[in-house]
Amino acid sequence: MKTIIIGGGVIGLACAYFLQKEGHEVSVIDKGDISSGCSYGNAGMITPSHFIPLAAPGMIAKGIRWMFDPESPFYIKPRFDRALLSWAWKFYKASSQKQMQRAMPVLRDLNVLSKKLYQDWESEMDFPFGLTQKGLLMLCREQHSLEEENHTAKLANQIGVKAETLSVEALRKMEPGISEDIIGGVYFPDDAYLSPSLLLAGLKKNLQQDGVDFHPNTEVLDFEKSNGQINALVTDKGRFAASEIIIAAGSWSPFLTKKLGLSLPLQAGKGYSLTLDQAPALLQHAAILTEAKVAVTPLGDQMRFGGTMEIAGINHRINQARVRGILQSVSKYYKNYQIPMPVEEKIWHGLRPCSPDGLPYIGRVDSFSNLTIASGHAMMGLSLAPVTGLLVAELIARKKLSLNIDLLNPQRYR
Ligand SMILES: Cc1cc2nc3c(=O)[nH]c(=O)nc-3n(C[C@H](O)[C@H](O)[C@H](O)COP(=O)(O)OP(=O)(O)OC[C@H]3O[C@@H](n4cnc5c(N)ncnc54)[C@H](O)[C@@H]3O)c2cc1C
């Protein structure tokens, strides 16, 4: 079976891995190369701790407060755009206690199985990708966020995700460099992290060796379709026929589904990261600086700091104020950790594909018998890539699925 995956980000490559293992003849088409999407410079975290979806009670009020601070971690660019307004309305409706309760076990199960698959990859792959299983620290400077994190820790334990509330003393033993301002935190021992660039490069090389065909710098423009089937892709480099097609095009997925008459509510959520070769100190643990919503990842002898969520359409402008917001926050959480503003070329940015309810879109669609969608992973695409690839391969092979994915139906907003 000839299967074409549109998108060579982490989701596309994970799909290629499991499909190739199933015996498919696989091609990956990307309008850039594997380093041009959102998957390359992210924080690399594998996150059983992230079982609460982005759309959750309290998020709207928080978002509105953040909107007025140019250095804040969240921003929606106000504009009259029907797709954005419709997405915002769906986000608002999804931010309910009931929807959160429905989503939590799904996100937990996806993350837990995905982490297990990463562990399998670590023993199976012939290249290191820096998988480090030391957990995640949530560092708090303010009482209200410590209370929120403690509440999340209780919820976590209730649904079987390990979480421990830590005193400042206990935190200091684990991370001696934390600042005097830290008042406490929560530790998720089952979280992990890896180096996204090592993972993507190694995976691509192995897939190529195993016969997966890569077509970089090739943009899918349209589809040839008849009788409820897609027969071929029309690209700027010619026509590609296929028997199965997977759309794993991250933030660009809605432009492709639109060509097929399918609506996929999704907004690009821009974030930035900076990777320091010579950091003031190499920290011991990955962490989230909770008030600043900054992710901190030690990657070998480098340190990576990432954050912000700018819902501002597909655009690649670097917002210096928000990058400054990320970097300045770091010194509030770690002693002697001043990071000067870098030149713009050093700042990486990526567009997270955000669904309104914080759940990915994974599944088949009714209108085309040979189309599968794998997108909308927002802040968890790296973490959920292996499980997504596994589920996509199972869907296409019509096998029993490893997890129930009813809530991930790509047509749930029909
Ligand atoms: C600052 C930051 C930190 C993050 N940290 C984490 C983290 O710690 N853990 C985690 O799990 N996630 C994290 N994420 C989120 C994660 O990076 C994304 O969820 C993930 O990369 C999405 O992968 P993807 O393959 O769906 O999309 P992408 O990586 O964007 O890949 C989509 C690909 O599709 C291609 N494409 C699009 N349209 C077409 C077309 N028409 N024709 C051909 N090709 C096309 C693009 O060129 C692109 O290469 C972070 C994101 C950011 C911004």
Side-chain angles (χ1 to χ4, degrees):
M1 260 214 291
K2 174 87 183 162
T3 301
I4 298 189
I5 301 167
I6 310 174
V10 70
I11 299 297
L13 295 196
C15 292
Y17 171 84
F18 285 101
L19 286 162
Q20 191 272 334
K21 242 179 126 174
E22 276 284 328
H24 291 248
E25 190 188 326
V26 181
S27 297
V28 177
I29 295 187
D30 200 294
K31 66 186 170 75
D33 59 26
I34 59 162
S35 64
S36 55
C38 189
S39 300
Y40 199 78
N42 66 51
M45 293 181 179
I46 301 165
T47 52
S49 60
H50 284 35
F51 59 91
I52 298 183
L54 187 59
M59 262 313 285
I60 301 277
K62 239 187 220 173
I64 291 172
R65 276 200 307 275
W66 277 329
M67 286 280 293
F68 299 99
D69 174 358
E71 293 186 1
S72 76
F74 180 77
Y75 176 68
I76 297 189
K77 186 175 178 205
R79 58 202 195 277
F80 188 78
D81 170 11
R82 278 181 58 187
L84 173 66
L85 293 175
S86 159
W87 182 93
W89 174 244
K90 291 179 174 73
F91 184 99
Y92 167 74
K93 292 221 323 206
S95 303
S96 69
Q97 192 66 29
K98 192 172 159 209
Q99 174 60 18
M100 186 182 96
Q101 295 292 343
R102 269 155 49 97
M104 281 186 342
V106 178
L107 288 175
R108 173 202 59 199
D109 293 349
L110 287 167
N111 271 296
V112 168
L113 178 52
S114 216
K115 184 186 162 194
K116 157 84 180 55
L117 294 168
Y118 269 127
Q119 289 167 329
D120 294 348
W121 281 7
E122 200 202 19
S123 40
E124 190 180 310
M125 302 287 187
D126 57 357
F127 63 92
F129 53 88
L131 182 65
T132 307
Q133 303 185 62
K134 284 173 68 177
L136 174 73
L137 293 175
M138 308 294 293
L139 298 179
C140 301
R141 297 170 57 238
E142 291 168 17
Q143 191 57 35
H144 70 92
S145 32
L146 185 55
E147 281 162 18
E148 266 177 39
E149 290 307 320
N150 286 338
H151 177 66
T152 305
K154 275 194 199 125
L155 277 180
N157 287 323
Q158 279 166 17
I159 67 161
V161 174
K162 282 191 212 147
E164 294 164 34
T165 296
L166 294 186
S167 65
V168 190
E169 295 69 37
L171 275 173
R172 209 174 292 288
K173 274 195 192 136
M174 292 179 76
E175 192 64 82
I178 55 168
S179 86
E180 300 300 326
D181 292 351
I182 304 295
I183 60 165
V186 165
Y187 177 52
F188 287 95
D190 288 338
D191 276 33
Y193 60 86
L194 55 75
S195 162
S197 52
L198 290 180
L199 176 76
L200 265 71
L203 206 49
K204 182 179 174 195
K205 189 164 167 252
N206 278 12
L207 288 168
Q208 276 176 319
Q209 276 164 4
D210 292 340
V212 173
D213 212 9
F214 278 82
H215 298 271
N217 306 313
T218 304
E219 183 168 5
V220 177
L221 304 170
D222 210 342
F223 301 88
E224 282 179 18
K225 45 196 190 293
S226 62
N227 303 325
Q229 183 149 343
I230 301 170
N231 304 315
L233 309 181
V234 180
T235 79
D236 59 355
K237 302 274 161 61
R239 179 182 180 276
F240 289 75
S243 48
E244 287 287 348
I245 285 143
I246 294 143
I247 296 183
S251 291
W252 296 267
S253 302
F255 303 115
L256 291 166
T257 56
K258 199 171 171 196
K259 301 268 179 202
L260 296 164
L262 299 166
S263 142
L264 195 73
L266 198 137
Q267 288 290 318
K270 198 198 294 168
Y272 305 98
S273 77
L274 179 69
T275 306
L276 298 183
D277 294 329
Q278 304 206 311
L282 289 176
L283 299 165
Q284 305 290 311
H285 286 86
I288 305 266
L289 315 181
T290 55
E291 294 81 5
K293 298 274 175 276
V294 166
V296 177
T297 323
L299 294 174
D301 52 6
Q302 297 177 315
M303 287 298 310
R304 180 167 292 171
F305 301 91
T308 82
M309 174 74 94
E310 270 175 54
I311 309 278
I314 301 269
N315 83 69
H316 299 279
R317 200 174 73 81
I318 303 289
N319 184 324
Q320 299 279 345
R322 265 170 233 288
V323 176
R324 196 174 311 112
I326 297 176
L327 301 184
Q328 287 184 350
S329 70
V330 177
S331 64
K332 298 179 185 156
Y333 292 80
Y334 299 104
K335 280 185 281 192
N336 306 323
Y337 224 105
Q338 264 71 33
I339 307 175
M341 267 303 272
V343 291
E344 197 161 304
E345 298 75 64
K346 294 267 180 201
I347 302 167
W348 175 87
H349 73 281
L351 301 174
R352 303 176 186 91
C354 300
S355 67
D357 58 6
L359 292 172
Y361 296 112
I362 305 174
R364 294 271 203 185
V365 301
D366 296 342
S367 34
F368 296 98
S369 59
N370 58 343
L371 174 67
T372 305
I373 297 188
S375 190
H377 294 75
M379 310 173 327
M380 278 180 264
L382 186 280
S383 185
L384 302 184
V387 73
T388 302
L390 175 73
L391 289 164
V392 164
E394 289 173 346
L395 278 166
I396 291 179
R398 294 187 160 67
K399 283 187 176 169
K400 185 173 175 337
L401 298 183
S402 297
L403 296 173
N404 181 324
I405 56 167
D406 289 353
L407 285 192
L408 314 183
N409 183 347
Q411 295 184 291
R412 61 187 179 269
Y413 289 110
R414 203 164 21 171

